[in-house]
Amino acid sequence: MSSTLASKEPKANLRKVSPFRCRMWEMHDRLGERMDAESCAALIESIEKHGQRHPVLGRAIRDADGYDIELIYGARGLFAAQHLGLEILVDV
């Protein structure tokens, strides 16, 4: 890959944040799905064993009743992080 192409690629801004300061984007397509410890058991176990391997995608928000980040995707990761009481890795 040429250095010209590489310089045009967006840079990841990874941050670890409290999952309790994150909310899901209201248009997220999984909001209607069942999200509980049973349906997310494999992900919870994986995060306990290996840590979070893939960041979720979010954007910074202001004046949002106690939330700092709105997640575009990563509902299961958010649930697992809240369940485990661990910070979540977000590409902001």
Side-chain angles (χ1 to χ4, degrees):
M1 179 183 299
S2 76
S3 61
T4 304
L5 288 176
S7 66
K8 292 182 181 182
E9 292 179 8
K11 304 267 190 236
N13 182 13
L14 300 178
R15 296 183 359 200
K16 282 207 165 223
V17 298
S18 167
F20 300 103
R21 303 286 301 168
C22 300
R23 72 172 186 204
M24 288 307 302
W25 176 43
E26 66 182 20
M27 298 298 289
H28 187 271
D29 62 353
R30 284 194 169 171
L31 291 180
E33 290 184 19
R34 187 182 99 191
M35 196 83 55
D36 58 24
E38 184 179 339
S39 66
C40 295
L43 179 59
I44 290 168
E45 182 180 333
S46 175
I47 291 173
E48 282 180 313
K49 194 177 211 179
H50 307 289
Q52 183 183 353
R53 292 183 171 187
H54 305 284
V56 297
L57 179 64
R59 59 180 161 227
I61 53 175
R62 294 185 199 160
D63 303 323
D65 297 327
Y67 297 104
D68 300 319
I69 303 289
E70 182 173 68
L71 300 183
I72 307 306
Y73 65 76
R76 294 178 73 243
L78 178 61
F79 178 87
Q82 289 173 338
H83 180 81
L84 294 168
L86 300 173
E87 288 186 322
I88 189 168
L89 183 62
V90 182
D91 183 355
V92 181

